[in-house]
C-alpha cells in the first residue's frame, strides 16, 4: 500500500476545528505557558507558605488535630530559629525525599532494558504475530504495558502504531491515535508494576502522615485496580478506534511522500534468539520469586503476622529492588547476546544515560522536597485538611459524587500541569489529608487521582510529547496540526474520563480491594 494509491486532495484543513474547541485549546495553551516551570513553581509555593505562616501564626482557628486533639496552630517559618532549622536540614530533607530514591533505583533497571533494545524487540515481536482482527486491542495493551519503560511508549509504540496500521492497509492515524490513547490516556492502567507506583505512593504517604504520623503505605496500593483498569481501557479504546475514529478518518487521505512511507522491519535472528533467552530468564526469575513466597516461613513474609501484604512484610519493602532486577537481568542478557553491549562498561553507560535523562526530575524533586517539608512544618497542611474535611462533611455529598468531583478537578488541572509527579506533589498534601477527614483512605484518593490524571493527558498541547505525536501524524498527513490531533483524541479523553470514573465508583461500591492489604476507609476497620 503506497500513499500514492490514495486519492490526492489538499492537506487537512485545521480550520474545521475552529470554534469553541480552538478557543478552549488556545486558552489552555496561553494559561499553561504562563505558568512557571514546575521546579520554580515549587519554589514560589514555598515562599507563599512562608508568608502565609507569618500572617496566620498569631491567629486562633478552633480546629483540633485529629490525632492529638490539640488546637491547631500555625508555625511562623520566618523566625530566625525556623530559618536556621530550614538551612541545617536542607540536605537531609532532599536526600530523604521518598520518591527520589525509589524512582532512580527503578529507572536504573528500566534504563538498561530500554537502551539494550530488549523492550523495543519485545514490543515489535508481540505486535508482529497479532491477528488483524485483534490488532487494535493488542496495540493498546502493548501501549499500556510500555509505561513500564517510561518514554518507550512515546518514542517506540506510538510511531509503531502508525507503521503497523499502514502495513495492514488501515489508516495510520488511527493506529497512532490508538497507541497514544493507550500510552498516555491509559497512563495509570497497567498490570505490570512500574516506577510510577512507588513514585505516587512516595507523595501519598507523607501527605497522609500530616494527619496520621504512624500511617505507612506500600507501592502496590492501587495494583488490583490498575490491573482491572487495563481491561476497561483496552475495551473502550478498541471500540472507539474501530467504530468512531477510523470511520471518521476515512475521508482523510494520505498525502505523505512515498519515499517517506515506513516499513516495519522484523527483528533479525540474533535479536530474536537474544529476546527469547532474556525473556525466559525473566520468567524463570519471577517464577522462583513466587515459589519462595509460598512457604509459611518464607523470609519475605511479615515476621509477626506471617502475611505478604502488610507494609512491614519484606516483599512489600522489596518492590522497587524487584522492579530493578526484573528489567536489568533480561536487559543485560539481551544486550550482550544481540551485540548491543560489548563490555561491562556499556551496561554502566546505559545506566548513566538513563540517570542523565532523570536530571530534570532530580532538580524538580529538590524544590518539591523543600516545599512539602515546609508545608508540613507550618501547620497549614493539617489546618487545610481539617477545615476542608469539615466543609466536605457539611455538604453531605454522596461518596461517589465526592470522588467524581476530585477526578474532574484533577483532569482539569492536568490540562495546565502535565507532569504526573509534579501535579501529585502539589495536590496530595491537600487532597489526601482532607479526604481522610471524611473517611476516605489515602489509597482511594490516589486511585481517583490516577483516573483524572490519565484521562486528559491526550488532549492538552502542554503535554511534553504532544508535539512529537503531531510530527508522527504529519508523516502520513502533512496538514496535521494541534487541532487535528486534539479533535481525534477528544472522544478517547471524554469516554475514558466518564467510564473510568464510573468503573472506580463501582469498584469501590463493590468493595473490591484496590491493592494488597488496602482499605477504602480511614481509619481502616
Amino acid at each position: 500500500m503506497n500513499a500514492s494509491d490514495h486519492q490526492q486532495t489538499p492537506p487537512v484543513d485545521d480550520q474545521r476545528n475552529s470554534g469553541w474547541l480552538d478557543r478552549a485549546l488556545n486558552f489552555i495553551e496561553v494559561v499553561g505557558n504562563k505558568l512557571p516551570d514546575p521546579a520554580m513553581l515549587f519554589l514560589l509555593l514555598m515562599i507563599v507558605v512562608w508568608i502565609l505562616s507569618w500572617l496566620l501564626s498569631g491567629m486562633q482557628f478552633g480546629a483540633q488535630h485529629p490525632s492529638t486533639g490539640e488546637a491547631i496552630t500555625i508555625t511562623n517559618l520566618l523566625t530566625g530559629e525556623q530559618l536556621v532549622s530550614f538551612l541545617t536540614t536542607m540536605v537531609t530533607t532532599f536526600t530523604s525525599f521518598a520518591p527520589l530514591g525509589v524512582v532512580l533505583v527503578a529507572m536504573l533497571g528500566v534504563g538498561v532494558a530500554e537502551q539494550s533494545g530488549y523492550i523495543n524487540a519485545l514490543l515489535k515481536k508481540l505486535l508482529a504475530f497479532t491477528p488483524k482482527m485483534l490488532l487494535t486491542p493488542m496495540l493498546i495493551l502493548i501501549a499500556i504495558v510500555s509505561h513500564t519503560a517510561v518514554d518507550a511508549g512515546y518514542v517506540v509504540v506510538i510511531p509503531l502504531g502508525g507503521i503497523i496500521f499502514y502495513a495492514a492497509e488501515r489508516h495510520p492515524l488511527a493506529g497512532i491515535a490508538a497507541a497514544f490513547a493507550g500510552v498516555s490516556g491509559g497512563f495509570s492502567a497497567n498490570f505490570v508494576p512500574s516506577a510510577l507506583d512507588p513514585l505516587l505512593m512516595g507523595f501519598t504517604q507523607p501527605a497522609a502522615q500530616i494527619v496520621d504520623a504512624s500511617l505507612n503505605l506500600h507501592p502496590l496500593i492501587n495494583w488490583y485496580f490498575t490491573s482491572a483498569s487495563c481491561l476497561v481501557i483496552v475495551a473502550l479504546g478498541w471500540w472507539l478506534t474501530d467504530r468512531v475514529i477510523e470511520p471518521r478518518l476515512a475521508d482523510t487521505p494520505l498525502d505523505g511522500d512515498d519515499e517517506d512511507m515506513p516499513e516495519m522491519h522484523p527483528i533479525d535472528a540474533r535479536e530474536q534468539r537474544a529476546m527469547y533467552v532474556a525473556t525466559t530468564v525473566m520468567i524463570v526469575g519471577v517464577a522462583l520469586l513466587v515459589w519462595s513466597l509460598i512457604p509459611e516461613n518464607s523470609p519475605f513474609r511479615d515476621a509477626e503476622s506471617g502475611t505478604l501484604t502488610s507494609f512491614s512484610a519484606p516483599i512489600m519493602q522489596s518492590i522497587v529492588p524487584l522492579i530493578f532486577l526484573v528489567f536489568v537481568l533480561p536487559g543485560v542478557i539481551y544486550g550482550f547476546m544481540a551485540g548491543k553491549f560489548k563490555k561491562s562498561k556499556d551496561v554502566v553507560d546505559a545506566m548513566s544515560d538513563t540517570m542523565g535523562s532523570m536530571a530534570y526530575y532530580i532538580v524538580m524533586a529538590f524544590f518539591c522536597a523543600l516545599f512539602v517539608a515546609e508545608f508540613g512544618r507550618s501547620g497549614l497542611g493539617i489546618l487545610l485538611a481539617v477545615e476542608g474535611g469539615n466543609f466536605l462533611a457539611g455538604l453531605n455529598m454522596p461518596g461517589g459524587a465526592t470522588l467524581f468531583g476530585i477526578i474532574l478537578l484533577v483532569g482539569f488541572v492536568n490540562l495546565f500541569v502535565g507532569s504526573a509527579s509534579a501535579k501529585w506533589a502539589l495536590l496530595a498534601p491537600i487532597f489526601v489529608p482532607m479526604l481522610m477527614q471524611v473517611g476516605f483512605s489515602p489509597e482511594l484518593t490516589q486511585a481517583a487521582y490516577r483516573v483524572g490524571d490519565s484521562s486528559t493527558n491526550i488532549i492538552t498541547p502542554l503535554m511534553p510529547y504532544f508535539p512529537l505525536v503531531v510530527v508522527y501524524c504529519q508523516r502520513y498527513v502533512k496538514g496535521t496540526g494541534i487541532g487535528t490531533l486534539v479533535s481525534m483524541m477528544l472522544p478517547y479523553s471524554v469516554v475514558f474520563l466518564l467510564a473510568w470514573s464510573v468503573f472506580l465508583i463501582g469498584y469501590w461500591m463493590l468493595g473490591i480491594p484496590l491493592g494488597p492489604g488496602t482499605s477504602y476507609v480511614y481509619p481502616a476497620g
Side-chain angles (χ1 to χ4, degrees):
M1 170 176 160
N2 296 317
S4 57
D5 293 337
H6 293 263
Q7 181 181 358
Q8 299 296 311
T9 60
V12 175
D13 183 4
D14 279 326
Q15 294 301 316
R16 69 184 181 185
N17 299 312
S18 61
W20 72 268
L21 179 59
D22 269 351
R23 288 196 296 272
L25 290 172
N26 288 338
F27 172 77
I28 291 169
E29 192 166 5
V30 169
V31 173
N33 285 337
K34 289 184 180 299
L35 288 175
D37 182 88
M40 290 298 100
L41 184 60
F42 286 121
L43 176 61
L44 293 174
L45 286 173
M46 185 178 70
I47 294 172
V48 170
V49 166
W50 282 348
I51 295 172
L52 287 176
S53 72
W54 170 61
L55 293 173
L56 301 177
S57 59
M59 298 184 182
Q60 301 295 324
F61 298 96
Q64 293 183 331
H65 196 291
S67 297
T68 64
E70 298 177 356
I72 296 175
T73 58
I74 302 300
T75 301
N76 182 1
L77 299 179
L78 290 180
T79 64
E81 181 182 355
Q82 292 297 327
L83 289 174
V84 168
S85 176
F86 169 73
L87 292 174
T88 56
T89 60
M90 180 183 289
V91 174
T92 54
T93 296
F94 175 50
T95 56
S96 61
F97 187 49
L100 183 65
V102 296
V103 171
L104 296 183
V105 170
M107 284 306 301
L108 283 172
V110 172
V112 171
E114 185 174 6
Q115 299 216 19
S116 70
Y118 172 67
I119 290 177
N120 292 356
L122 193 61
L123 294 176
K124 285 183 179 180
K125 189 64 178 178
L126 288 172
L127 290 170
F129 71 78
T130 304
K132 273 191 177 183
M133 64 175 295
L134 297 178
L135 193 60
T136 302
M138 179 57 79
L139 175 61
I140 296 172
L141 179 62
I142 295 301
I144 289 172
V145 174
S146 72
H147 306 159
T148 310
V150 189
D151 293 340
Y154 292 103
V155 300
V156 177
V157 180
I158 294 177
L160 268 180
I163 294 171
I164 293 167
F165 268 50
Y166 183 83
E169 298 187 353
R170 297 179 61 179
H171 203 292
L173 262 60
I176 290 173
F180 190 23
V183 169
S184 199
F187 186 66
S188 281
N190 198 346
F191 59 87
V192 180
S194 69
L196 181 65
D197 297 297
L199 185 149
L200 293 181
M201 183 279 296
F203 293 114
T204 305
Q205 179 169 293
Q209 290 173 342
I210 292 175
V211 173
D212 185 350
S214 64
L215 191 147
N216 288 306
L217 303 172
H218 60 75
L220 301 184
I221 54 176
N222 291 151
W223 185 34
Y224 296 163
F225 172 69
T226 57
S227 297
S229 296
C230 239
L231 301 176
V232 176
I233 297 302
V234 169
L236 293 173
W238 186 2
W239 181 81
L240 285 166
T241 302
D242 290 0
R243 298 299 179 90
V244 178
I245 304 303
E246 195 162 15
R248 183 174 178 270
L249 289 169
D251 296 329
T252 302
L254 307 185
D255 60 359
D257 297 330
D258 288 349
E259 60 271 18
D260 290 336
M261 289 297 104
E263 296 180 9
M264 186 173 177
H265 299 288
I267 60 177
D268 59 33
R270 182 181 183 183
E271 292 171 334
Q272 183 165 276
R273 184 168 58 254
M275 185 196 66
Y276 285 147
V277 173
T279 303
T280 300
V281 170
M282 180 177 67
I283 293 172
V284 170
V286 172
L288 289 173
L289 173 64
V290 173
W291 177 77
S292 71
L293 299 177
I294 296 174
E296 293 184 1
N297 62 345
S298 169
F300 284 110
R301 292 181 179 271
D302 188 311
E304 295 183 3
S305 65
T307 63
L308 293 169
T309 57
S310 67
F311 174 79
S312 57
I315 184 63
M316 289 301 165
Q317 300 286 339
S318 305
I319 294 298
V320 175
L322 289 172
I323 291 174
F324 168 79
L325 291 174
V326 162
F327 285 97
V328 76
L329 291 178
V332 169
I333 292 170
Y334 179 90
F336 280 107
M337 290 189 66
K340 176 69 174 179
F341 296 155
K342 304 294 185 183
K343 52 187 181 298
S344 60
K345 187 178 183 301
D346 294 335
V347 179
V348 177
D349 288 342
M351 291 184 177
S352 299
D353 290 343
T354 301
M355 289 299 99
S357 69
M358 299 299 292
Y360 174 76
Y361 172 78
I362 295 172
V363 172
M364 187 195 74
F366 172 73
F367 290 104
C368 179
L370 297 180
F371 161 71
V372 170
E374 293 300 275
F375 190 63
R377 287 203 310 134
S378 69
L380 289 170
I382 188 63
L383 177 65
L384 187 60
V386 171
E387 296 291 4
N390 292 337
F391 174 74
L392 284 177
L395 293 177
N396 200 27
M397 291 193 304
T402 302
L403 273 182
F404 187 58
I406 293 297
I407 292 170
L408 289 179
L409 180 58
V410 171
F412 177 74
V413 173
N414 190 44
L415 296 175
F416 306 97
V417 183
S419 168
S421 56
K423 190 162 52 269
W424 191 225
L426 289 169
L427 298 179
I430 300 171
F431 284 169
V432 172
M434 182 171 67
L435 291 175
M436 287 171 69
Q437 296 304 297
V438 293
F440 283 32
S441 70
E443 299 97 309
L444 180 56
T445 303
Q446 180 179 288
Y449 168 78
R450 297 180 79 152
V451 172
D453 175 54
S454 298
S455 301
T456 55
N457 273 337
I458 48 181
I459 59 169
T460 171
L462 299 178
M463 202 270 287
Y465 287 100
F466 198 92
L468 181 62
V469 180
V470 172
V471 172
Y472 292 151
C473 293
Q474 289 174 343
R475 185 177 192 180
Y476 306 95
V477 180
K478 293 180 179 178
T480 300
I482 287 177
T484 309
L485 183 57
V486 171
S487 66
M488 189 166 62
M489 302 309 300
L490 193 59
Y492 292 103
S493 183
V494 173
V495 172
F496 283 5
L497 183 66
L498 296 178
W500 206 353
S501 298
V502 171
F503 179 70
L504 174 59
I505 293 170
Y507 198 94
W508 164 60
M509 293 178 68
L510 291 173
I512 305 172
L514 290 166
T518 56
S519 174
Y520 281 105
V521 296
Y522 175 82

